[in-house]
Amino acid sequence: GGPASGNNEFGQEKDYKSVSATNLKPTYQDEITLGFEQAFSPSLNFGGKVTYRTLRSTIDDWCDDRPIRAWAGRNKVDLSNWGGFNCSNINPGEDVDLLLDFTGKGQKQYTPVHLTAAEVGLPKVERKYTAVDLFVEHPYRNGWYGKLAYTWSRSTGNTEGQTLSDVAQTDVAATQTWDYKELMVGSNGLLPNNRTHQIKAFGFYEFNSEWSVGANLLLQSGRPKSCIGTDLDAEQGLKSPWGADYGGSGYGNSYFGWCDGKAVPRGSLGRMPWEKRLDLSLTYKPQFAKGLVVGLDVYNVTNNQVQLTREEEFDGGDGALQASYNRVRAYAAPRSAKLRIEYHHKF
């Protein structure tokens, strides 16, 4: 068979002038938060806030040379010696300015290439987060402290961030998300980090100057479920006029909203189970040894090993159901304990 390369570079060093668009902007988002806190009494505080965030720009790699070849055709640029396009970092959904060496002779003779957002074909980046946070708090008083918080939130869009947890891809700002426009079809919906409901409670109680106990409770709804499959028509569409497949052997089961031959909107297949975790701690500060602290922390006391993530690739690249679809990919950590011995000394 032909050569293969995990990063599409075949051992070649990157061309620093072509590795990123020359008009690259930083990743940023806008946020507005409105809230209040009220000291109702010496023993009770309460408050709330509303948060809205929207992603304005992100950075990821793009690997589709079809718009570049179309540009070369319009501008009568000879590509017969060109070594090809090895992906560049861009701002998806925006115009792209590149410096490319089409000579194929290593002479570093760069040609500026301007592509409009429409020519690149990627959608605008979108990630919107809306949340309502409420809390009640008992300040430290009469030997104890406690706080109860509730969050309702919604996270939607076509990009989770600079990694891709749907397929456990951790290549920061180099995910498959924006490599080709076909991969973005059906990608807009509930994002993996969408947790509609979250309840957190934590606090501690001091029996005396030496002994205290603490607790931390987390209840949160599970991740949205998606189905990612193979769009066989798109895979054929990724073939270039000269017969080579884009992305080496093709992207296979990487298409959002494509499951068992039909469109399935992202995050529309229900949710993973609720995550429920209780942590407890016991702390001893002996008076006979000032600065010494001995503690025992027990995590996930109920040993609730809930399912956290699942296999979302429906097929193996051929459209046919694979046996691993829907299997659990990660469980919550089991019950564990930690013994702490600390010494604090003031000079």
Side-chain angles (χ1 to χ4, degrees), residues 126-184:
E126 182 178 340
R127 187 180 70 221
K128 300 183 186 302
Y129 174 79
T130 307
V132 177
D133 294 279
L134 304 171
F135 80 90
V136 292
E137 178 184 42
H138 181 281
Y140 177 66
R141 183 178 174 84
N142 299 324
W144 71 282
Y145 169 87
K147 186 173 183 178
L148 175 64
Y150 168 75
T151 299
W152 175 93
S153 64
R154 188 173 180 84
S155 183
T156 62
N158 57 17
T159 180
E160 177 186 10
Q162 293 188 307
T163 58
L164 185 61
S165 67
D166 303 87
V167 295
Q169 187 177 12
T170 57
D171 307 314
V172 177
T175 67
Q176 67 184 27
T177 307
W178 303 96
D179 286 2
Y180 298 91
K181 63 182 182 181
E182 287 86 351
L183 296 173
M184 294 303 297

Side-chain angles (χ1 to χ4, degrees), residues 285-322:
K285 299 178 181 179
Q287 293 297 305
F288 66 84
K290 294 292 186 181
L292 179 64
V293 179
V294 180
L296 176 65
D297 301 320
V298 182
Y299 303 98
N300 193 7
V301 173
T302 62
N303 200 32
N304 182 26
Q305 299 179 48
V306 66
Q307 302 171 9
L308 297 180
T309 60
R310 57 189 274 276
E311 198 78 39
E312 301 199 329
E313 293 92 337
F314 177 82
D315 58 70
D318 55 3
L321 174 66
Q322 63 177 347

